[in-house]
Structures are given as C-alpha cells and as structure tokens.
Amino acid sequence: MKILLILAWRNLWRNRKRTLITVSSVLFAVLLATLFVSMEKGSYERLIDSMVRYSTGYIQIQDVLFDEEPSIDHTLLFDEEIEAILKKNDEQIAFHVPRLQNFVLVATENNTRGSILNGIDPELEIRMNDLNEDLVKGEFLKPDDNGLMLAEGLAGILNVTVGDTLVLLGQGFHGSTAAGTYPVKGIVDLKIPEINNNTIYMSLSEAQWFYGTGNRVTSLIIMPENPARTQQLAENLRMMIDPEWHRVLTWEELLEDLLNLMKFDVAGTMIMMMILYIIIAFGLFGTILTMLIERRKEFALLFSLGMKRAQVAIVCFFEALFISMAGVVLGIIISIPVVAWFYHHPIPLSGDMAEAIADYGFEPVLPFSADPNIFLNQALIVLIISFLIGLFPVYKVFRIHIMEAKK
Amino acid sequence: MKTVIKTTNLQKIYNNSVAPVKAVNDISLEFKEGEFTAIVGPSGSGKTTFLNLIGGLDKPTGGEIFIDGTEISTMKESELFDFRLRNIGFVFQSYNLIPVLTAKENVSFIMLLQKRPKAEMEKRATEMLEQVGLSDKLNSRPNQLSGGQQQRVAVARALASKPKFVLADEPTANLDTESAFNLLDIMEKLNKEENITLIFSTHDQRVIERAGRVITLVDGRVSEDEVGSSRFEV
C-alpha cells in the first residue's frame, strides 16, 4: 500500500501547475460555499433567535387544547404541581416566563380596535427579551402595576399617549365579561408592524384579575440553561407533566410555519450550491481525465511489469482524493478565519434594504453563522463529489487494453 | 538444457473477420535456459507481436505457449498479471521507467510488488545498478538520466527479480552506437552471470552479431533460425 500512496502523491507533482490550479479551484469553491451557507444560516439563526426571544421562548408548557384552539378557557393552571416539575429540572432551566394572552377590544372616546392583551411579569420579560429597551415614552410596567403599556403603532392608531385612559372589553374565563378602564403608563416601539399595531401589555396579576382566570396562564415559557439541550429538557418535562391536561412544545414546533418557509428558501439556495458543486466536479474531472489520457503508456508499462489493475486504480483514486482533500483542507483552513471575521463584523447594509430590515427591529446587517457543521458539511459534500469522480479513473483503468495503450 | 519457452503453431491474426492480417503465422519454437536470442526481421514481420504473445501481454488467435511447462495462452487476465510479475522481465524500446520513481526505486519496483523483504530488495537493487554502472545514479529520477542510462536501469530492473526470462523489444533502437554496445555488454554479461534466458527483438545489425541465436521472421513466419555459427533455413 505504501508504494501506491507514494506513486499517487508523486504523480500529483509531475505537473505542479495543473495540480495547484485544481487544488485552488476546490479551495475557492469550498470557501465560497462555506461563506454562502454561513451567510444564509446566519440570517436564519438571527430570525429564529429573535422569534424565540421575543415571542415563543425555547419551550412552552400549555393547556393541551390551547395550540389547536387558543382561548382563555384553555389556560394552564400554574399551580404547585407545575412548580414542582420546574423545580425538579431546576439545573437545566435558567428561568421561566408566565404569560396570559387573549384578544381584547380597546376603545377611546372616538376609536375602537381589536388587539392582543399580554399579561406579563415585567421583570422576567426584561430578562427574556430586554423589552424595556424598546420603551419610547413613559414608564415600564411594574409587577403590581394596574396601568397599561401600549405598542407605539397602536397608540398612534388610537391617537392616545401616556396618561390617557383606555377602555378594555373582552371575554373572560368561562364566558364571563372582562371589562375595565386603564391608564396608559408607557409606550414601546415593537418594530415589526403587525405586532406594533395591535399589542397591549399589562402586568400578569392585573391580567389574571381582568380575565378572572385566577392563577392561570396561556403559556409558561421555559428558557433553558443551555439552548442546545432544548430537546432533552422538553423530553424530561414531557415525561413529568400530565399529558391529559398539559402539553410541552419546543420552539421548532411553535415556529413550524416559519421553519417550513425557511426550508423552501433553502431549496433555492441549494440550486446555487449545486451550480458551485458542478463547477468543482468539472474542474476535478478535467484534471483527472487529462492525467488518465497522458499516462496510457505508463499504465501499459505498469501492467506489463505485473502491477494489477486494482493497484493502478487505487493509485488513480488516491490522486483524485489527494487533490480534493488538499483543496478541502486548505479551503476550510482559510474559511475559518474569514467566517469568524464576518461573524464578528457582519456586512453592514445600506439604502432601502437597511431601512426595511431596521423596520422589523433587526440590525441592518448581513449576519454570518459560525456553526462548525457548516465547515464539516461542505468538507463532506466536496469529499463525496471527489470520491465519485475518483471512481471514474478506477472504471477506466479496468477497461484499458494493454496492447492499445502500449502504442 | 531445460526448455523455458515453447510455442506450438502460434498464431496471431488481426482483423480476423474483415481483412485478416497474420502477424504471427504458425510459429513453433523452443527457447532453452540461458539462451541469448535475437529475433530479427523487417518492420511488420511480427517480432513485437511474437514477444507480446510469449510475454503474456497479448492473447494468441491459435496455438499454444508453454512457459516452464505451464500453458499461458488459456490463463485468465488476473492470472497472467501474476504470472508476468513472477516469471518475466521486460525491457521496452522507450517509456521504460516509472517517471516518479528514482533509479533504485524503479529497480526495486517488481520486487516490491512481489513483496520481497526490504533488506533483500535494497541490496539487490544497489547491486544491479552497480553491475550496469550506475552506482552513482541511485537516487536520480528518469528525467535526470540519458537514454542509454535509462535503458540500463530498465535492464537492471528486468533482471533484479531473477525472472525465468527477459524480453527486450528493440532495446537499442533509440541509442547511439556507444550506448548500444554498452547496453549489449551489460545484457550479455548478466545473461552469463545470472543464467537468465534473454530474448530481444531488433533490426540493428550491431546487436544481431552479439546474439548466440538469431531467429529471422518474415511475414509472421520463421524464415531462419541460426544457433552459434550454424544457420538453419526453415
């Protein structure tokens, strides 16, 4: 085997320029593919992170019927039983955030609008998503506050400001009527227009009183110590809760629609990647084909001397593998610092695109992901391509006719 | 003397179905151990085809080839690869050496494929390169050697593994007179010292005069078979 490796390695350097050009083409393809995937994944990661932090959290415990029919009647009783379950998983849980969320009709003297009322624990909400940083007017809610905090868009639609009073009317627990008047204490800018135009915050205790739910919540958000172990924590919780009444959902289940949309988008990216892989494949194939054609006499000599076809085929296969491995390894070595640079220094956007992204509450930059799987996946894909191309000389070597090759 | 190679009614016909060309036509010959034989004849007389057949590189259309009593014309390709490796040494007219290996590695190559012990390979390769006068070129690559030196390395390689016989297809064709005589001296010396049967094709008169036996081919047939000073019309 050693002599086969020596032959393959030395054969690569017979035409140094050609080998270096081929290695470079693989290298640049790996670098481009890695940057491309890192940029796409970076954008998705940021979007998912925002959705998880501002909306769903990593895990939610809900009433078993809430996901199918979100209603104030399908709320979860946050009692000692649930608290005991959380305590048993204390080491894996960073904190939990209770929320009571329901539709409500909000009215002023001249305006009425349907909105979503969020009963929140202000301190835990700040811990989860720094909501206080979005405050643009007035004060942030306190745990026992009896006022409201309005999204800026909704405040504009209703033409109200801090100090004004709103009338809230909705359906309370088990068909009761929920009604009350509340002063506006603060206004927050929630960036995303759909949310910014219909969101009201109230302290959890006040919301539970308003809807008459007692100690009930629509969802109990669980933030894990280690987000990478979300699945494991969710499984632990599933084993402990009563499945007849409660349900544990991970962010992947809660954001299923968004993830499906991303998968569809990834399919488009895959077409771009395929083009890149085809370029790699043809570059490598061209080199291998040339090496085969110009060495026919050499193969005839090796066969005459008694070298088996399989041994010659292994040499050719190793040559293809060495070229691509050199390209892949160098590509990864170069792409690690490049991706790391862009991960820490995302590409700033400008113009309309920057404004549109800023409107949705995101920093107007192209973020990159530094997920190690990106490098490993690219390396693996290119190696599989090279492996398949490396099979071509194997096939050809087994078909060479010694007497024809000798001519 | 023991018969190393025997052919009976050997035939090789090209374009069998369209316009048959009898490259080798009914050749029956025997080669004894230690013989130094030249196969001569004009271009297209069948010299190379005959060597390819007895070297197991090509399959005959008819007849039989026995090497040391073993019929090789019916062997499978994989068996022939192994048979060549164990029994036959080759020297070609050109493109004889593996370009990426040094002279010493080229000489060791067959022994390496035969999985001989490393120490034995090293010793034998060095010894053979000394015998062909290239002890100072052990680590030279083929492109650092002259044409004559490359042919001497090829002869060293062919003999290093002590095959039953060596086939040389016009080994001196591309060499100047001095290099050709030098190569012949070496082949003749090794033939005597190692007692290895050596058969070579040539139309070079300088070479023919040195051969112990001269077989002349014309149109794929043996027209003359001369041993020593006696010449036979066939």
Side-chain angles (χ1 to χ4, degrees):
Chain A
M1 187 56 88
K2 192 181 165 194
I3 186 67
L4 305 184
L5 285 168
I6 290 172
L7 281 174
W9 179 251
R10 290 190 190 169
N11 278 332
L12 289 184
W13 303 108
R14 283 163 76 165
N15 193 328
R16 198 176 292 263
K17 274 186 193 165
R18 183 175 60 202
T19 301
L20 288 177
I21 288 169
T22 314
V23 168
S24 305
S25 71
V26 175
L27 182 160
F28 282 111
V30 169
L31 179 62
L32 278 176
T34 309
L35 281 175
F36 204 65
V37 174
S38 165
M39 196 166 70
E40 185 192 48
K41 207 164 178 267
S43 301
Y44 290 160
E45 278 175 0
R46 181 160 291 196
L47 182 60
I48 288 169
D49 181 62
S50 296
M51 292 301 287
V52 167
R53 284 202 308 125
Y54 286 100
S55 174
T56 62
Y58 284 96
I59 296 171
Q60 282 192 15
I61 304 178
Q62 297 175 349
D63 179 87
V64 74
L65 296 173
F66 186 77
D67 195 42
E68 281 175 27
E69 197 186 326
S71 145
I72 197 75
D73 290 335
H74 298 145
T75 43
L76 167 84
L77 184 62
F78 188 18
D79 57 4
E80 296 84 2
E81 187 191 331
I82 297 287
E83 276 184 5
I85 291 171
L86 297 183
K87 210 161 196 177
K88 277 183 189 162
N89 292 281
D90 199 31
E91 282 183 5
Q92 292 187 64
I93 298 173
F95 59 99
H96 58 271
V97 184
R99 274 185 193 164
L100 181 66
Q101 196 177 53
N102 197 23
F103 292 103
V104 69
L105 208 62
V106 54
T108 63
E109 201 174 340
N110 304 312
N111 271 319
T112 304
R113 187 175 170 85
S115 302
I116 295 169
L117 178 65
N118 289 286
I120 59 168
D121 181 321
E123 284 170 2
L124 290 172
E125 206 72 28
I126 289 170
R127 193 171 171 194
M128 181 176 163
N129 55 33
D130 303 321
L131 188 61
N132 57 330
E133 288 179 6
D134 295 332
L135 186 76
V136 290
K137 209 169 187 184
E139 290 173 16
F140 198 78
L141 284 180
K142 291 184 180 64
D144 54 352
D145 235 323
N146 58 0
L148 301 174
M149 202 161 67
L150 236 60
E152 196 179 25
L154 181 62
I157 291 166
L158 296 171
N159 197 21
V160 293
T161 187
V162 172
D164 290 342
T165 301
L166 296 176
V167 176
L168 301 187
L169 188 66
Q171 187 196 321
F173 193 54
H174 286 174
S176 64
T177 301
T181 56
Y182 291 93
V184 177
K185 292 202 69 182
I187 292 175
V188 285
D189 177 7
L190 295 180
K191 317 286 188 201
I192 301 170
E194 288 83 54
I195 299 174
N196 204 34
N197 291 341
N198 66 10
T199 302
I200 303 169
Y201 291 105
M202 184 186 266
S203 69
L204 180 65
S205 55
E206 189 62 32
Q208 285 170 333
W209 182 85
F210 176 71
Y211 284 116
T213 59
N215 202 21
R216 287 178 173 273
V217 293
T218 47
S219 57
L220 184 62
I221 294 168
I222 311 288
M223 299 299 275
E225 281 286 354
N226 180 2
R229 293 191 160 185
T230 297
Q231 284 297 342
Q232 192 194 333
L233 176 58
E235 280 308 312
N236 290 349
L237 294 171
R238 274 183 195 125
M239 282 192 286
M240 291 178 184
I241 58 153
D242 182 352
E244 197 180 336
W245 296 100
H246 305 137
R247 192 173 178 201
V248 175
L249 296 163
T250 62
W251 64 271
E252 283 153 314
E253 290 161 316
L254 292 160
L255 296 173
E256 201 178 348
D257 291 344
L258 178 72
L259 292 175
N260 283 338
L261 203 68
M262 284 179 179
K263 274 181 198 162
F264 185 71
D265 194 38
V266 165
T269 310
M270 273 312 291
I271 294 172
M272 288 289 294
M273 299 301 289
M274 288 292 282
I275 293 170
L276 206 57
Y277 296 142
I278 288 170
I279 294 169
I280 301 177
F282 271 101
L284 197 59
F285 183 73
T287 301
I288 298 298
L289 193 64
T290 315
M291 285 170 88
L292 270 177
I293 292 168
E294 69 187 15
R295 282 159 61 196
R296 284 175 63 82
K297 279 199 171 187
E298 185 181 325
F299 291 146
L301 169 71
L302 294 171
F303 294 148
S304 305
L305 296 179
M307 200 170 175
K308 293 185 175 71
R309 285 184 191 271
Q311 291 173 311
V312 178
I314 287 170
V315 171
C316 295
F317 183 74
F318 278 152
E319 287 168 19
L321 214 58
F322 284 164
I323 288 184
S324 45
M325 275 179 76
V328 167
V329 170
L330 289 173
I332 299 288
I333 288 172
I334 292 173
S335 58
I336 286 173
V338 175
V339 168
W341 166 265
F342 282 122
Y343 178 71
H344 292 292
H345 306 89
I347 299 170
L349 295 171
S350 57
D352 291 344
M353 190 184 271
E355 277 178 29
I357 290 175
D359 279 347
Y360 279 87
F362 298 114
E363 199 183 344
V365 292
L366 273 181
F368 282 69
S369 168
D371 184 352
N373 284 329
I374 296 172
F375 304 102
L376 291 175
N377 289 344
Q378 291 315 307
L380 201 66
I381 290 169
V382 178
L383 279 178
I384 289 170
I385 292 172
S386 338
F387 179 82
L388 293 175
I389 291 172
L391 292 178
F392 176 75
V394 171
Y395 167 76
K396 289 302 271 185
V397 162
F398 275 93
R399 293 181 66 87
I400 287 175
H401 192 276
I402 301 175
M403 295 314 298
E404 281 175 13
K406 260 185 85 185
K407 284 175 190 166
Chain B
M1 269 193 296
K2 186 180 157 193
T3 299
V4 179
I5 306 166
K6 183 183 173 190
T7 68
T8 51
N9 308 113
L10 195 61
Q11 269 198 336
K12 180 69 188 180
I13 305 171
Y14 293 111
N15 295 325
N16 215 347
S17 54
V18 192
V21 176
K22 290 181 177 177
V24 169
N25 189 5
D26 201 25
I27 294 181
S28 298
L29 284 170
E30 279 187 27
F31 297 89
K32 305 284 184 196
E33 190 175 29
E35 266 187 355
F36 192 59
T37 308
I39 312 278
V40 301
S43 291
S45 60
K47 305 185 294 289
T48 300
T49 306
F50 179 71
L51 289 189
N52 287 337
L53 289 171
I54 59 174
L57 296 173
D58 205 357
K59 287 261 181 190
T61 316
E64 290 165 324
I65 306 161
F66 294 92
I67 308 289
D68 225 7
T70 307
E71 216 313 34
I72 67 159
S73 51
T74 53
M75 277 184 182
K76 287 182 198 160
E77 192 198 63
S78 57
E79 290 171 329
L80 272 173
F81 271 75
D82 203 48
F83 190 84
R84 281 200 297 271
L85 178 65
R86 308 268 162 215
N87 299 291
I88 311 171
F90 287 95
V91 180
F92 300 110
Q93 182 179 340
S94 60
Y95 212 97
N96 249 312
L97 303 179
I98 301 160
V100 294
L101 299 182
T102 63
K104 192 176 169 188
E105 286 167 338
N106 263 289
V107 174
S108 305
F109 189 71
I110 294 173
M111 293 185 282
L112 199 70
L113 295 178
Q114 290 173 340
K115 294 178 181 158
R116 300 259 187 102
K118 196 180 172 190
E120 182 197 329
M121 276 189 317
E122 293 266 325
K123 190 174 167 234
R124 180 76 175 154
T126 311
E127 207 175 270
M128 289 308 295
L129 281 167
E130 272 169 15
Q131 290 208 47
V132 297
L134 292 172
S135 53
D136 57 335
K137 301 284 182 188
L138 296 182
N139 297 314
S140 301
R141 292 267 180 102
N143 61 1
Q144 296 167 317
L145 301 172
S146 68
Q149 287 171 330
Q150 286 185 34
Q151 290 300 76
R152 281 193 268 161
V153 175
V155 168
R157 180 188 60 202
L159 292 157
S161 59
K162 296 186 178 169
K164 288 205 169 71
F165 61 97
V166 171
L167 298 175
D169 188 8
E170 308 214 22
T172 58
N174 294 333
L175 302 183
D176 57 54
T177 307
E178 193 187 339
S179 301
F181 276 121
N182 194 283
L183 186 74
L184 283 169
D185 287 342
I186 290 165
M187 285 167 67
E188 211 172 351
K189 185 180 119 197
L190 291 173
N191 164 253
K192 279 177 188 154
E193 283 175 7
E194 308 268 336
N195 197 33
I196 291 172
T197 309
L198 223 149
I199 304 165
F200 53 97
S201 71
T202 186
H203 49 242
D204 185 343
Q205 198 57 40
R206 302 167 300 186
V207 180
I208 297 166
E209 285 164 8
R210 307 282 289 269
R213 180 182 176 190
V214 179
I215 297 168
T216 308
L217 297 186
V218 177
D219 294 334
R221 285 177 178 277
V222 178
S223 71
E224 278 182 62
D225 187 351
E226 180 193 18
V227 180
S229 55
S230 51
R231 186 172 284 239
F232 305 99
E233 291 273 340
V234 182

